[in-house]
Amino acid sequence: MFLLPATSPAFLGLFEKKDKQAPGTDERQAQEAQATAMLMSAREAQNAGKTGRAQGQYNAIVKQYPFTVAASEAAYASALITRANSDVTTAFDAFQKFIDDHRSSARFNDALQQQYELAEEARGGRRQRAMLILPVKMGGEEVIKLYTQIIKNAPFGKLAPLAQFSIAEIYQDMGEKDKAVLAYQNVVENYPNTKQAGESQFRIGSISNVAASRSEDKSNLVATRDALTTYMSTNPKGDRASEAEMILQQVNAAEATQSLAVGKFYQRMGKTKAAAIYFNEALKYGSPEASNEARELLAQLAAADPDAVADAKKGQPDQDYTIPGARNLKTRDDYIGPLSPELTRLGQKPKMRAGDDNFLPIPIQEPTLPLTPGMAPTGGSLLPPVSEEKPALLPIPAAPAAPGIPPQPPTSLPVPPKPTPAP
């Protein structure tokens, strides 16, 4: 009895078919005609309700003529049949194979849309198939993988921000705070000019605010303020502007209360400077009740130890969170307040300087000029006076005589006298 040696992968590879090579122009045209004829036959079978036969013909076209346009159409049609008769994962994989094999096809965006719809059905826990609504049992992480694959297929397509936003929402529903915030931040950074970016910025602040209400960690309050302040500056007329402003007021009140509590603790410990720092923070956050109390406590500290209170203000940043975005007030379209001080000064006429700063006008000093010996300039003049008139450089000719009657030449006959008038 002879034993056959175990077949190795290398041995089996000798009998495998090599990858098909792209045909030439003439061969491609011939294959296109044959594939198109098979495609028409498969569509007729599908229209007649023979989906099994149609899908078999579609798959035959893809296998025999993979480099034709008809093959991409057949692969997409086969994936549609798979979606109608299979579960979400199988249908999603069918469209993924089409995308991998026919990325340059005109059906690429259609396949992405089909994948996104399948992911939405999986997220909702049910899917519409024929006339039935079937339950879908998939965990949150499995649905996230579907959305992640959609983003990989087209990172900057129109469905990418929607898929990334859905991933963040799933993490939020699962209670994964850090993962949800990171996913929303990816929407803001990768797709900043989309509607989902603004909503993601608000969600980051909202999640941090919920975390702040459940713990005494001050970092959550700071994260809430940073996120919502950014939202207000980038979306001053956004749909969530009023909600963001209300949450910011709550955050300011909460942080002012915390600062007051810490300041009172240091006051009891006799650390005046530390207490003054926290009381100043309570004033900065703008809560009316906390501000009044902090102002009274600061007055008490200043009366007891004014140097420590003055020293507490050194090096502190001049920030005011009373009104979010107040620094950008003059750039808003609805701002109609007075001009800024710089523009106001530009419109005013210059005024003479006055005060006790010993400011005097610059005295006028006459320059030293070359003078004639023995001559000195008189007051109010920078040149020496002229003592006498100087003769003209050239003689002046005499004035011409008045014109007269030119002399007449002598004549041979005397001139008769003027006749007298008749009586």
Side-chain angles (χ1 to χ4, degrees):
M1 183 176 181
F2 297 95
L3 296 176
L4 295 176
T7 57
S8 64
F11 179 77
L12 292 176
L14 297 175
F15 300 96
E16 292 180 355
K17 295 183 179 179
K18 296 182 179 180
D19 294 338
K20 294 184 179 181
Q21 297 180 355
T25 304
D26 297 338
E27 181 65 21
R28 182 187 293 272
Q29 293 178 355
Q31 290 185 7
E32 194 70 58
Q34 296 173 2
T36 302
M38 293 178 63
L39 181 63
M40 298 299 295
S41 177
R43 287 176 175 173
E44 291 177 359
Q46 184 177 4
N47 294 334
K50 302 177 182 180
T51 55
R53 176 186 293 182
Q55 190 171 22
Q57 292 179 351
Y58 288 141
N59 294 335
I61 296 172
V62 174
K63 185 177 180 179
Q64 296 178 19
Y65 310 105
F67 300 102
T68 61
V69 177
S72 63
E73 292 290 332
Y76 181 76
S78 177
L80 287 176
I81 296 177
T82 301
R83 178 184 178 182
N85 299 283
S86 303
D87 58 275
V88 170
T89 303
T90 304
F92 191 92
D93 293 341
F95 286 108
Q96 186 60 44
K97 180 172 176 54
F98 168 82
I99 291 173
D100 294 338
D101 297 340
H102 306 277
R103 184 167 289 273
S104 60
S105 172
R107 295 287 189 178
F108 179 83
N109 291 330
D110 295 335
L112 278 178
Q113 182 66 36
Q114 294 291 337
Q115 285 188 322
Y116 180 76
E117 293 177 1
L118 287 167
E120 289 288 292
E121 291 176 358
R123 180 186 174 188
R126 60 180 183 175
R127 65 168 304 194
Q128 182 78 29
R129 195 173 71 181
M131 299 299 294
L132 302 176
I133 297 179
L134 303 178
V136 177
K137 295 182 179 180
M138 293 185 69
E141 293 291 345
E142 295 178 345
V143 180
I144 288 175
K145 290 180 180 179
L146 301 183
Y147 285 117
T148 303
Q149 186 60 50
I150 294 173
I151 298 174
K152 290 181 179 179
N153 291 335
F156 299 101
K158 65 178 182 179
L159 297 176
L162 298 175
Q164 183 62 47
F165 187 82
S166 297
I167 291 174
E169 284 189 318
I170 293 174
Y171 279 131
Q172 185 177 2
D173 295 338
M174 294 170 60
E176 298 284 349
K177 170 184 174 293
D178 295 336
K179 293 182 179 180
V181 170
L182 180 60
Y184 282 128
Q185 190 64 37
N186 288 336
V187 178
V188 175
E189 294 177 357
N190 298 333
Y191 314 103
N193 298 323
T194 61
K195 182 179 180 181
Q196 290 74 27
E199 179 64 21
S200 297
Q201 187 67 53
F202 176 82
R203 295 283 184 95
I204 294 172
S206 178
I207 292 174
S208 301
N209 182 48
V210 173
S213 63
R214 296 176 180 176
S215 66
E216 296 182 356
D217 188 357
K218 190 175 181 179
S219 62
N220 291 320
L221 292 175
V222 176
T224 303
R225 178 185 294 108
D226 292 343
L228 295 183
T229 302
T230 302
Y231 175 82
M232 292 292 292
S233 62
T234 56
N235 302 274
K237 298 181 181 179
D239 298 335
R240 300 280 199 167
S242 58
E243 297 179 55
E245 186 174 358
M246 180 181 65
I247 295 176
L248 279 173
Q249 293 176 357
Q250 296 174 356
V251 169
N252 291 335
E255 194 157 2
T257 302
Q258 288 187 4
S259 298
L260 269 179
V262 176
K264 290 178 181 178
F265 169 78
Y266 282 118
Q267 185 180 18
R268 291 193 299 269
M269 297 294 294
K271 298 182 179 181
T272 306
K273 179 179 178 181
I277 291 175
Y278 282 97
F279 289 154
N280 281 322
E281 285 188 356
L283 280 173
K284 176 177 62 179
Y285 297 136
S287 174
E289 297 81 3
S291 297
N292 293 333
E293 186 176 0
R295 190 174 291 105
E296 294 176 359
L297 293 173
L298 277 174
Q300 296 176 8
L301 292 178
D305 192 351
D307 294 335
V309 174
D311 192 25
K313 296 182 180 180
K314 295 180 180 179
Q316 296 297 322
D318 184 15
Q319 297 176 349
D320 186 9
Y321 299 101
T322 303
I323 303 176
R327 290 179 176 81
N328 297 327
L329 181 61
K330 297 180 179 61
T331 62
R332 290 173 52 175
D333 296 337
D334 55 344
Y335 177 72
I336 55 174
L339 296 176
S340 61
E342 292 79 7
L343 295 178
T344 303
R345 285 196 296 268
L346 289 177
Q348 296 177 350
K349 295 182 179 180
K351 298 180 180 179
M352 294 188 65
R353 188 172 177 179
D356 298 332
D357 53 357
N358 296 325
F359 177 80
L360 297 175
I362 300 175
I364 300 178
Q365 297 179 357
E366 297 180 353
T368 303
L369 298 176
L371 304 176
T372 304
M375 305 298 294
T378 60
S381 174
L382 297 179
L383 297 176
V386 179
S387 58
E388 59 183 3
E389 295 183 359
K390 295 182 178 181
L393 298 179
L394 296 176
I396 300 175
I405 300 175
Q408 298 293 329
T411 58
S412 56
L413 296 178
V415 178
K418 182 178 180 181
T420 59

